[in-house]
Amino acid sequence: MVREDDHFITWYKFTEDRSRPRRVLLGARIGGVYVAELILEPGAVAGNHYHKKTNSIFLVGRGKIRGGFERVDDGERLDFTAEPGSGIMHLPPKTAVAIKNVVADKTVVIFFANRPFRSGDDVDFPIDLSLPDGEFDDAAEVATPIKRYRFQHDQSKPGRDLETAKVGGVYVSRLTLMPNVISGNLYHKKAKVILFVTSGFVRFRFKHVKSGETREFDLKPGGGIVHIPPYVAIANKNLGAEPATIMY
């Protein structure tokens, strides 16, 4: 759902799904990509299903999860614990999943997919989360049901940490800003970018390089997703007293 088409940037509202206890699913569609934030209360479990056609990638934005994954066709299984910085996981079709929040605060898991998460594509499949952790084979990963992409860190600028991973032809980044730190002040000539805030309170300023038009607004978690086309410069500042995180 488009919240506002502001001439050169587009702001997409999240839809909110509270149909299941102790979890909230925020979702938005941007072109052919479906973005979701799954917010789990302490001890809450989500999943216990697989998708027949949906391809998705996910990462932990905040907190920690215990995850169990099983390839439906051959029963190959992988269990692991993940937190921010653990990388991006690719979840292909016909791979059953269950995840549990294992910390005393809310955990946020971020998904990107090629289909809606409530499309009737899911099939119930119980997963036992009591099994011990396994290990990724980052070199081959032939036997594991999901694939992990590691983040590359860029801490070359003070007060910020930029983590980036390439998944197919898409680059996924997470920018962590310390309080009062400004980042950006650049534009892309060809790249199209979407962004949203997963923690903290961030002020964004946009300027169209060719027309000179500007826009400025603040975003918090759940505030929606902004699409930025080429030739739009961006700067962002953490206005809060704690580190802020932005997904790109």
Side-chain angles (χ1 to χ4, degrees), residues 57-62 65 69 80-91 108-112 136 138 141 146-153 163-167 172-174 247:
I57 61 174
F58 73 92
L59 67 153
V60 178
R62 187 174 77 212
I65 62 165
F69 305 85
F80 62 88
T81 301
E83 56 192 331
S86 295
I88 298 175
M89 276 61 73
H90 172 227
L91 186 64
V108 178
V109 186
I110 300 163
F111 292 88
F112 301 85
F136 285 96
D138 285 328
E141 301 190 22
I146 66 174
K147 183 177 177 67
R148 177 176 61 177
Y149 298 84
R150 290 184 179 275
F151 283 119
Q152 300 296 316
H153 285 262
E163 303 166 273
T164 301
K166 183 181 180 183
V167 184
V172 179
S173 297
R174 181 173 60 197
M247 292 297 307

Side-chain angles (χ1 to χ4, degrees), residues 12-47:
Y12 295 83
K13 261 187 171 180
F14 282 121
T15 58
E16 187 175 288
D17 177 355
R18 294 180 177 267
S19 61
R20 299 186 182 179
R22 305 179 66 205
R23 45 130 278 188
V24 179
L25 184 66
L26 304 176
R29 177 184 177 183
I30 300 92
V33 178
Y34 294 84
V35 183
E37 285 190 53
L38 176 63
I39 304 168
L40 296 174
E41 297 291 336
V45 177

Side-chain angles (χ1 to χ4, degrees), residues 222-236:
I225 300 175
V226 180
H227 172 253
I228 308 166
Y231 290 98
V232 173
I234 176 176
N236 34 255

